[in-house]
Amino acid sequence: NLVKIDLAGNIIDPDCPFEINPAVVTIHSAVHEVRHDAQCVLHLHTNETIAIASLQEGLLPLSQYAMFALASMSYHEYEGLAVNAEEKLRLQNDLGTSNFMLLRNHGGLTLGETIGDAFMHMYDLTRACQVQLQVMATGMETVLVDQSIVDGIKAQANIVHTGITGGQKSWPAMVRKAYRQDPSFAT
């Protein structure tokens, strides 16, 4: 249920029947206060992102999905439930200019200039975490992509997975898919 709020956590729609989670306000307002380029911030607690965020090594360069995320990755240490206003500054500093963040022992966060871009970033982050867990489950020795290649992908990722070539194609497709599966999903 979408609840529109301002940066202070005030509900904008007076007819909204829902309450807000204070932790959501802390995390999302922290990002929106400093990242005016990010029109959309997604924060999910998927099993895969929590698992990888809980590993000391974090996300490893094991798949192409990981390359997209690692091109703009940051981490934020777990401080408990995100209801402490003082955590905002630390979260902002940890995020910096990154578009992907793993919140240790907590989940994933992605940013985008559009909903489509933030969605594609979350899709890539989640897939990267899924693949890493599957590779680790084999117990076999892994092949990590060389750091020079990871660094080289940063410029390529900005071309391939944002704007008209990335999120803006994928997001409308996902919305069409949701309507096909359940035409009432947006009501």
Side-chain angles (χ1 to χ4, degrees):
N1 298 315
L2 180 64
V3 179
K4 295 179 182 180
I5 62 171
D6 62 19
L7 285 177
N10 300 308
I11 297 175
I12 295 171
D13 179 4
D15 297 325
C16 179
F18 305 109
E19 296 294 321
I20 57 168
N21 178 335
V24 170
V25 176
T26 301
I27 293 170
H28 286 266
S29 68
V31 175
H32 284 296
E33 284 176 7
V34 296
R35 290 292 300 277
H36 304 288
D37 60 315
Q39 296 300 307
C40 183
V41 178
L42 296 179
H43 172 56
L44 298 178
H45 304 149
T46 66
N47 292 343
E48 297 87 357
T49 56
I50 294 169
I52 297 303
S54 300
L55 296 175
Q56 183 65 40
E57 300 85 4
L59 186 64
L60 298 173
L62 290 170
S63 68
Q64 182 163 292
Y65 291 111
M67 299 311 118
F68 293 129
L70 289 170
S72 186
M73 176 62 73
S74 61
Y75 292 86
H76 177 67
E77 294 301 319
Y78 187 71
E79 298 185 26
L81 298 178
V83 294
N84 184 346
E86 287 115 34
E87 184 176 359
K88 288 173 67 169
L89 181 59
R90 290 184 292 278
L91 197 147
Q92 292 166 340
N93 289 334
D94 290 341
L95 178 64
T97 60
S98 299
N99 290 320
F100 297 81
M101 177 180 261
L102 285 173
L103 294 97
R104 295 289 189 182
N105 310 94
H106 184 153
L109 181 122
T110 61
L111 290 68
E113 290 182 24
T114 66
I115 294 171
D117 292 339
F119 171 82
M120 279 307 300
H121 290 160
M122 186 60 76
Y123 177 84
D124 290 338
L125 178 59
T126 302
R127 292 288 290 149
C129 292
Q130 290 169 339
V131 169
Q132 181 169 329
L133 290 170
Q134 289 172 329
V135 169
M136 293 171 66
T138 68
M140 300 182 80
E141 189 173 344
T142 59
V143 177
L144 299 178
V145 174
D146 186 79
Q147 187 61 43
S148 64
I149 294 173
V150 175
D151 292 340
I153 286 184
K154 289 181 182 182
Q156 296 170 354
N158 288 332
I159 294 168
V160 174
H161 261 42
T162 59
I164 61 170
T165 60
Q168 298 319 301
K169 285 188 176 182
S170 301
W171 177 248
M174 292 296 121
V175 172
R176 288 190 306 271
K177 182 177 180 179
Y179 271 115
R180 278 193 311 271
Q181 289 181 350
D182 180 4
S184 69
F185 92 97
T187 58

